[in-house]
Amino acid sequence: MIRKFVGVVTAALALLAGLWLMIAPFALGTQPEGADWTAATNSEFFTGLGVAVVALAGAGAFAAAIYEELVARGLVTVRQRPAEPEPAPAAPAGASSAELATMLAPLVEALREDMRTRQNGSLVEEKR
């Protein structure tokens, strides 16, 4: 377990070193402002980027190993996701198109009436 903690700390330090390599040319003034990147800046920045990515992956791997170790020792319990209820079917499986038409008829009539009301209302406004 101690080795895994040492690994996480080492990976975190490597991440900091990589980030420092990325910003050092700008922080120390070796890269002129507003100019194209020099060869040294390119080298330092992309080396730092590579170190930071590898360190981040290593820290993640060590953290996952620590978590699994804690689960194996029983110090951390794994939460189970609650079972999601099954969605209700939209229409009964045995519903025929005639049954569906009778269920939708009142809705269709209400929509027609609404359209007539809106048309009549707009005609009244045009006549004014």
Side-chain angles (χ1 to χ4, degrees):
M1 185 74 145
I2 296 296
R3 289 181 186 164
K4 293 173 186 161
F5 282 116
V6 171
V8 169
V9 170
T10 304
L13 291 174
L15 177 65
L16 290 174
L19 292 175
W20 171 249
L21 281 173
M22 291 172 66
I23 64 169
F26 308 102
L28 299 177
T30 58
Q31 171 61 39
E33 260 187 64
D36 288 340
W37 284 12
T38 62
T41 301
N42 274 329
S43 175
E44 284 185 38
F45 182 84
F46 289 111
T47 300
L49 182 64
V51 169
V53 168
V54 170
L56 191 61
F62 277 113
I66 289 172
Y67 178 75
E68 288 192 16
E69 176 87 19
L70 292 174
V71 169
R73 289 185 181 189
L75 299 172
V76 174
T77 58
V78 180
R79 286 190 244 166
Q80 300 294 329
R81 288 188 177 188
E84 295 181 17
E86 293 184 22
S96 66
S97 60
E99 290 173 346
L100 188 59
T102 55
M103 288 186 339
L104 292 177
L107 177 63
V108 171
E109 279 304 313
L111 288 172
R112 283 185 187 156
E113 185 62 33
D114 185 53
M115 287 175 57
R116 279 191 216 116
T117 305
R118 288 178 188 244
Q119 278 183 336
N120 292 338
S122 64
L123 290 176
V124 170
E125 288 177 10
E126 287 177 8
K127 289 181 182 178
R128 289 184 188 176

